[in-house]
Amino acid sequence: MEAKNAKAASTSHFSKWWKDFGHQWQLQTMAIPGIIYMIIFSFIPIYGLVIAFKNYTVIDTIDGAQWVGLENFRIIMEDKYFWESVINTLGISGLKLAFGFVLPIIIAVMIYELRDSVFKRVIQTISYLPHFLSWIILGGMIITWFSSNGMINELLNFIGIQTKQNHMLDVSKYWWIASLSDVWKEAGWGTILYLATMSKIDPTYYEAAKMDGASRLRQIWSITIPMIRNIISLNLILSVSGLFNSNLDQTLVLMNSQNQPKAEVINSYVYRVGLMQGNFSYATAVGLGISIISVILLVLTNIITKKLNDNQSVL
Amino acid sequence: MKKSSLSLAKPKSNVVQDKDSKIFNFVNILLLLVFTIVIIVPVWNIVASSFASSDALAKGDFVFWPSEIATDNYRKVLGDASMWQALLISIGKTAIGVFAHTAFCAIMAYALSKRNLKGRGLYSTMGIITMFFSGGMIPTYLLIKSLNLLNTFWVYIIPALLSYYDVIILMNFFRDVPTSLEESAKIDGASDWGVFLKIFMPLSKPALATIALFHGVWQWNDFMTTKLYVTERALYPLQMKLYEIITQSQAASQQGLNAAVEISTTSKGVQLATIVVTTVPILIIYPLLQRHFISGMMLGAVKE
């Protein structure tokens, strides 16, 4: 009896739901195309990740390909070129983190200390600009600056170091060029969130600190930095979890046959093995493995910063 | 007694503070100037070099201001018909892409902004999944291939139609529109589509402009779509054209032959002029619309 009632209730609930759905048909015609789009362009490729566990070739369908279990992952473990690309990715990301993480904080504090002036706006406009250049444009510029008779060599000659070297062909300099050019491009843009947070700091804090005789540096250390701490932790989590991310645009334009041993990163390796050599399953396995490691890193860094931040998660 | 010593001490510490503050300001401005120079000078070097003759480029004098302004490089670039074709593709994909992307995201965002929408929980969960997970390069390539989008103009537009991130920004904006406007329009017999098009669209211009701007810059700068999915040269946008010129002159300079050096200095000039031509639209648009870019950045960040 009770079961019957419950069933009747759920049917009527269900039919009411359908009725409401029908009344909303106009709104639904706005939502459903987007949903179908997401199924096709996001969920089907996510399903396509199964080829990492298969031996897929161009003549197969994704479902028809033969299962090979973890075979692809076993080959990855022994793949010398893969590990080389991992080391390059971590090297470049590590340098990027070392310089690119602190610099926007310093620049934001310096711009904030200008208070309000025309100079402040001019500096902001100029420093955001490189963010809007594509990596192809910037890559072309970098190759020009570092070429044998480019700007860098002219500057070196000017300070007395005679050189005619094309630095792009020097394999030992690639990590530095790749990471520092990224810092150059994004340092200014990276200040925006910090500046926005600083603009909400109550100015009376600074007045009180000044009354107590705190120097400007002391004010920055004791007021400004603590107020932006959350954004700093958030950015740190994102940068650390992005250690395995590599910049394919940048690599494709800056890599050449000379610097390749130090320039090949995970993404460009996936691109080369997957799309150039047609080894679809293997390249997908590489991509999937790296994504999983990145998620683990994200969770780990979140736990660590939570501990440091009095158990408050910033994510 | 105690009071007077305090009042005596205070002005003294203020003087110290003011001096300390002046030094601080001086060093601060000096360092920021250095930072600005580090950004401007390299860019200026490219612009100035693009106006240098190939002789001057071969000699490689550090060009802040070319000894004589030569327009050969630009004449070569603008005299190349394939360059105009690439410009057309770039403009076409940016214009159509911006319109289609903004409209598609806005329509979906409007439906999702209604809290009583049936199935909303499922829809937004699916959307959030697309923000954090993707199939990656190879499965996406296989999808694009099976949809027969390889080597078509539409591969620039269709795979970039929807970004759930942009949907969330627009959805939050739509929620701030007063409900009274919608209710009175509904009483006058307006449909959901009518309310969306006649009331919400005009009121949401700032948010729509922000989404359009960011997508526009992305479309203009995007080269990866071409690199991955397009081999038909007639469909190359400017970015891909530039990439081709760069890799060719890189290859030539690596051969190190005397003959190749000459080719590479000629193509160097062309490369520089192409860089400038490709950057100019962004250089024009960016300072005018900087405010919108920053507010858009904030919109996205606040909702993270």
Side-chain angles (χ1 to χ4, degrees):
Chain A
M1 185 69 187
E2 260 179 22
K4 203 179 169 188
N5 266 350
K7 200 185 168 195
S10 82
T11 339
S12 80
H13 181 78
F14 188 66
S15 66
K16 184 181 175 297
W17 193 92
W18 263 113
K19 217 174 139 192
D20 287 346
F21 189 89
H23 280 307
Q24 290 182 334
W25 68 269
Q26 287 217 357
L27 281 178
Q28 294 292 348
T29 58
M30 300 170 119
I32 290 171
I35 298 299
I36 294 173
Y37 180 92
M38 290 197 299
I39 292 172
I40 297 173
F41 283 92
S42 298
F43 288 89
I44 290 181
I46 290 173
Y47 171 72
L49 285 171
V50 296
I51 64 169
F53 306 97
K54 291 187 166 201
N55 183 12
Y56 174 87
T57 54
V58 264
I59 49 164
D60 288 318
T61 60
I62 288 176
D63 291 315
Q66 183 203 348
W67 288 96
V68 293
L70 295 175
E71 177 65 13
N72 287 318
F73 293 90
R74 195 189 58 76
I75 303 172
I76 290 175
M77 291 296 154
E78 292 161 8
D79 180 351
K80 174 176 124 221
Y81 296 104
F82 166 74
W83 290 107
E84 224 174 69
S85 78
V86 170
I87 290 167
N88 289 333
T89 306
L90 287 177
I92 294 166
S93 303
L95 288 174
K96 245 188 242 178
L97 184 67
F99 297 95
F101 179 69
V102 186
L103 197 62
I105 302 174
I106 297 174
I107 293 169
V109 168
M110 284 164 58
I111 291 177
Y112 179 63
E113 288 295 327
L114 289 175
R115 310 298 173 193
D116 285 303
S117 63
V118 182
F119 184 51
K120 181 176 178 173
R121 252 170 296 144
V122 172
I123 284 194
Q124 284 180 281
T125 305
I126 291 170
S127 65
Y128 299 160
L129 185 67
H131 171 78
F132 292 98
L133 303 176
S134 75
W135 265 111
I136 306 309
I137 292 175
L138 187 51
M141 290 180 171
I142 291 168
I143 290 167
T144 312
W145 298 330
F146 287 93
S147 65
S148 53
N149 51 19
M151 181 183 76
I152 298 293
N153 279 348
E154 291 295 329
L155 282 174
L156 288 175
N157 291 346
F158 185 75
I159 59 168
I161 303 167
Q162 292 301 320
T163 171
K164 268 284 171 193
Q165 191 190 14
N166 182 346
H167 302 280
M168 294 311 297
L169 302 179
D170 183 348
V171 69
S172 64
K173 288 181 185 129
Y174 183 82
W175 285 9
W176 291 97
I177 293 174
S179 54
L180 293 182
S181 62
D182 190 272
V183 173
W184 183 85
K185 187 175 189 285
E186 302 298 339
W189 187 249
T191 63
I192 290 185
L193 272 185
Y194 295 121
L195 282 170
T197 316
M198 288 176 197
S199 69
K200 291 184 199 118
I201 301 176
D202 187 345
T204 54
Y205 290 163
Y206 294 100
E207 281 155 28
K210 208 175 163 190
M211 295 299 269
D212 291 342
S215 67
R216 293 279 289 274
L217 283 174
R218 185 61 207 267
Q219 290 174 31
I220 290 170
W221 187 249
S222 303
I223 303 172
T224 315
I225 299 294
M227 295 302 273
I228 59 171
R229 214 171 113 176
N230 270 349
I231 307 280
I232 294 178
S233 326
L234 178 73
N235 275 345
L236 186 65
I237 293 177
L238 293 178
S239 322
V240 172
S241 63
L243 276 178
F244 282 91
N245 292 352
S246 38
N247 187 336
L248 183 56
D249 287 60
Q250 184 197 35
T251 310
L252 285 179
V253 67
L254 294 184
M255 187 161 70
N256 55 47
S257 55
Q258 303 292 308
N259 63 25
Q260 188 175 1
K262 288 277 175 190
E264 185 89 276
V265 286
I266 298 166
N267 264 344
S268 65
Y269 185 63
V270 170
Y271 172 78
R272 196 158 59 82
V273 173
L275 293 185
M276 299 286 99
Q277 298 167 11
N279 213 336
F280 293 113
S281 279
Y282 185 70
T284 308
V286 171
L288 180 62
I290 294 302
S291 306
I292 291 170
I293 293 174
S294 294
V295 171
I296 293 171
L297 264 182
L298 181 73
V299 174
L300 278 182
T301 40
N302 191 29
I303 291 171
I304 294 168
T305 40
K306 213 166 139 184
K307 284 259 156 62
L308 297 176
N309 247 354
D310 313 322
N311 275 324
Q312 280 188 319
S313 172
V314 285
L315 271 190
Chain B
M1 178 72 188
K2 208 175 178 187
K3 211 177 175 186
S4 72
S5 78
L6 253 181
S7 63
L8 270 176
K10 216 174 169 191
K12 196 184 169 192
S13 84
N14 264 352
V15 171
V16 174
Q17 263 189 339
D18 284 351
K19 201 183 161 204
D20 160 82
S21 211
K22 272 198 185 118
I23 296 172
F24 178 92
N25 281 339
F26 178 75
V27 175
N28 190 23
I29 290 174
L30 196 73
L31 288 177
L32 280 172
L33 271 177
V34 170
F35 174 63
T36 321
I37 288 170
V38 168
I39 289 184
I40 292 182
V41 167
V43 177
W44 177 246
N45 169 253
I46 298 290
V47 178
S49 311
S50 74
F51 284 101
S53 63
S54 39
D55 283 351
L57 280 175
K59 263 192 285 168
D61 299 326
F62 184 20
V63 213
F64 272 131
W65 197 257
S67 43
E68 52 178 325
I69 293 186
T71 51
D72 306 14
N73 300 327
Y74 286 93
R75 239 178 270 150
K76 248 174 243 152
V77 170
L78 300 178
D80 180 354
S82 72
M83 225 49 189
W84 289 97
Q85 168 80 9
L87 179 68
L88 200 69
I89 295 282
S90 276
I91 293 173
K93 92 188 181 92
T94 305
I96 298 171
V98 163
F99 178 78
H101 174 88
T102 314
F104 199 70
C105 289
I107 291 169
M108 188 177 188
Y110 179 73
L112 290 179
S113 73
K114 303 294 170 215
R115 293 187 195 274
N116 63 351
L117 180 79
K118 295 287 152 189
R120 193 174 157 269
L122 175 69
Y123 297 164
S124 61
T125 309
M126 287 173 72
I128 289 166
I129 290 174
T130 66
M131 285 169 76
F132 292 100
F133 298 96
S134 83
M137 193 191 300
I138 309 295
T140 309
Y141 174 84
L142 295 175
L143 173 80
I144 300 287
K145 192 177 158 204
S146 65
L147 291 174
N148 283 325
L149 281 172
L150 292 185
N151 283 320
T152 61
F153 177 76
W154 298 107
V155 79
Y156 295 128
I157 311 296
I158 296 173
L161 262 184
L162 190 77
S163 140
Y164 197 71
Y165 186 76
D166 289 355
V167 170
I168 291 179
I169 292 175
L170 287 170
M171 187 174 77
N172 284 311
F173 198 89
F174 290 152
R175 285 207 176 129
D176 292 339
V177 174
T179 47
S180 56
L181 286 172
E182 182 181 351
E183 281 158 12
S184 61
K186 281 271 176 71
I187 290 167
D188 292 343
S191 62
D192 282 321
W193 277 96
V195 172
F196 169 67
L197 291 172
K198 296 210 180 78
I199 297 175
F200 278 78
M201 283 293 96
L203 283 174
S204 310
K205 271 181 201 151
L208 294 171
T210 304
I211 303 291
L213 272 176
F214 273 98
H215 192 70
V217 171
W218 180 83
Q219 275 284 5
W220 184 265
N221 280 343
D222 173 49
F223 122 101
M224 203 44 78
T225 308
T226 321
K227 181 80 178 152
L228 292 175
Y229 309 130
V230 178
T231 47
E232 173 68 52
R233 298 173 60 94
L235 289 171
Y236 278 4
L238 275 182
Q239 302 284 343
M240 187 66 190
K241 203 76 194 152
L242 178 58
Y243 174 75
E244 236 188 6
I245 293 170
I246 292 169
T247 42
Q248 278 166 8
S249 81
Q250 273 281 82
S253 75
Q254 275 173 58
Q255 283 166 1
L257 302 164
N258 282 335
V261 170
E262 198 167 319
I263 299 164
S264 81
T265 45
T266 325
S267 69
K268 177 124 248 161
V270 172
Q271 182 182 321
L272 290 166
T274 314
I275 288 174
V276 175
V277 168
T278 315
T279 319
V280 158
I282 287 185
L283 288 185
I284 293 172
I285 286 177
Y286 162 70
L288 295 176
L289 300 172
Q290 190 198 356
R291 221 161 28 85
H292 293 279
F293 281 121
I294 294 167
S295 66
M297 174 79 183
M298 294 318 302
L299 270 176
V302 171
K303 311 298 181 197
E304 244 173 5

